[in-house]
Amino acid sequence: MYNIGICDDGENICASVENMLLKYAEKKAVQVDVQVWYTGEKLRDYLASGNHRDILFLDIELFKMTGIEVGNYIRNVLDNMGLQIIYISGKASYAMQLFKTQPMDFLVKPIQQEHIDHAMDRALKIIQKRKEKFEFRQGKDYYYLAMGDIVYFESKGKKIRIVTTRDTYEIYGRLRNIVKKLTDDFIMIHQSYVVNKEYVLRYTYEIVELFDGTMLTISKAKRRQVRERILGDE
């Protein structure tokens, strides 16, 4: 079951998108639960109460609390990086304003079935990859972390720090062996760092900046590879 939200102040738009989502679900034989809001405030309150959505179609030009403000609230107040945000708008000029909310996609109205199909295909693929587990051992205890919750790995001597959205763990091992167990969302940017590209907020020739402000160095040997991986996925 995939939990999907639609937030747009136009009732006709919401009804149209919901209908296209139901057609997609029937065609792909997947189960969806679709919920609709007409204001950013009501959506914010719903999420603030601990409710969960997997995918959100979010209008930018909402009446009071804009879609960009809702996106910032989701990412920076709720610290929710897993919700796949798909912005919708009548304008195509919002790219830079949306950057910090790390949306999965941006659809320009009028929205067609093929746009919904393409966005949903991408969203479901990302969600499935986020659910894959990374297994490790600390003493006698075994841990299973969702790949999507891991921000980066850092090698320090014989130890590896695993930094997640909630906690930090330390294990013994080699970074090059850990990389073999990871999904292709992870990029080795340095002999000491492997980052989850979902949490990269900004990329330059020498560093990547993560969503929480952490700066990690890209080694000279990895700069071309990192550039190709990040730009190639855009």
Side-chain angles (χ1 to χ4, degrees), residues 33-49:
D33 174 72
V34 182
Q35 190 156 343
V36 174
W37 299 269
Y38 301 114
T39 70
E41 290 83 358
K42 288 186 177 180
L43 169 59
R44 176 201 60 198
D45 294 344
Y46 172 86
L47 295 173
S49 297

Side-chain angles (χ1 to χ4, degrees), residues 104-129:
M104 192 214 78
D105 210 341
F106 177 76
L107 305 181
V108 180
K109 301 173 185 176
I111 300 169
Q112 307 296 327
Q113 183 71 51
E114 63 188 58
H115 302 148
I116 294 293
D117 291 353
H118 178 70
M120 285 295 296
D121 283 344
R122 285 188 60 202
L124 298 193
K125 183 178 179 181
I126 291 170
I127 290 168
Q128 288 304 315
K129 286 167 68 175

Side-chain angles (χ1 to χ4, degrees), residues 38-93:
Y38 301 114
T39 70
E41 290 83 358
K42 288 186 177 180
L43 169 59
R44 176 201 60 198
D45 294 344
Y46 172 86
L47 295 173
S49 297
N51 296 297
H52 171 75
R53 294 283 105 180
D54 298 302
I55 303 165
L56 176 62
F57 290 84
L58 178 59
D59 183 30
I60 293 176
E61 296 101 356
L62 294 170
F63 182 63
K64 289 185 179 179
M65 187 177 190
T66 69
I68 294 173
E69 290 172 330
V70 175
N72 283 325
Y73 181 82
I74 291 169
R75 299 301 192 221
N76 300 319
V77 178
L78 299 180
D79 287 331
N80 184 341
M81 303 301 293
L83 176 56
Q84 301 304 308
I85 300 174
I86 301 166
Y87 279 114
I88 54 180
S89 172
K91 302 176 184 178
S93 57

Side-chain angles (χ1 to χ4, degrees), residues 59-218:
D59 183 30
I60 293 176
E61 296 101 356
L62 294 170
F63 182 63
K64 289 185 179 179
M65 187 177 190
T66 69
I68 294 173
E69 290 172 330
V70 175
N72 283 325
Y73 181 82
I74 291 169
R75 299 301 192 221
N76 300 319
V77 178
L78 299 180
D79 287 331
N80 184 341
M81 303 301 293
L83 176 56
Q84 301 304 308
I85 300 174
I86 301 166
Y87 279 114
I88 54 180
S89 172
K91 302 176 184 178
S93 57
Y94 284 99
M96 292 308 296
Q97 296 179 58
L98 304 180
F99 184 70
K100 288 191 175 183
T101 63
Q102 295 181 272
M104 192 214 78
D105 210 341
F106 177 76
L107 305 181
V108 180
K109 301 173 185 176
I111 300 169
Q112 307 296 327
Q113 183 71 51
E114 63 188 58
H115 302 148
I116 294 293
D117 291 353
H118 178 70
M120 285 295 296
D121 283 344
R122 285 188 60 202
L124 298 193
K125 183 178 179 181
I126 291 170
I127 290 168
Q128 288 304 315
K129 286 167 68 175
R130 285 183 61 87
K131 289 180 179 178
E132 292 185 39
K133 303 294 184 181
F134 176 75
E135 177 185 344
F136 65 94
R137 181 178 176 180
Q138 278 189 332
K140 296 181 180 180
D141 298 325
Y142 287 87
Y143 292 81
Y144 301 88
L145 301 178
M147 295 276 189
D149 291 336
I150 301 173
V151 182
Y152 68 96
F153 295 84
E154 179 182 8
S155 175
K156 284 191 168 185
K158 295 181 179 180
K159 290 186 176 181
I160 304 291
R161 290 179 69 235
I162 307 171
V163 180
T164 76
T165 54
R166 296 179 180 84
D167 299 296
T168 300
Y169 304 86
E170 282 195 349
I171 60 174
Y172 288 95
R174 294 179 178 273
L175 208 52
R176 65 170 179 261
N177 294 331
I178 285 176
V179 171
K180 298 174 184 177
K181 303 177 182 179
L182 304 176
T183 65
D184 58 8
D185 284 331
F186 290 86
I187 306 173
M188 191 166 193
I189 65 169
H190 189 282
Q191 66 178 4
S192 298
Y193 302 118
V194 173
V195 301
N196 185 339
K197 63 183 178 62
E198 287 191 35
Y199 294 97
V200 174
L201 177 64
R202 184 172 63 92
Y203 153 79
T204 72
Y205 188 64
E206 297 179 340
I207 63 101
V208 292
E209 179 182 356
L210 304 181
F211 76 101
D212 62 354
T214 299
M215 302 280 195
L216 299 177
T217 302
I218 304 171

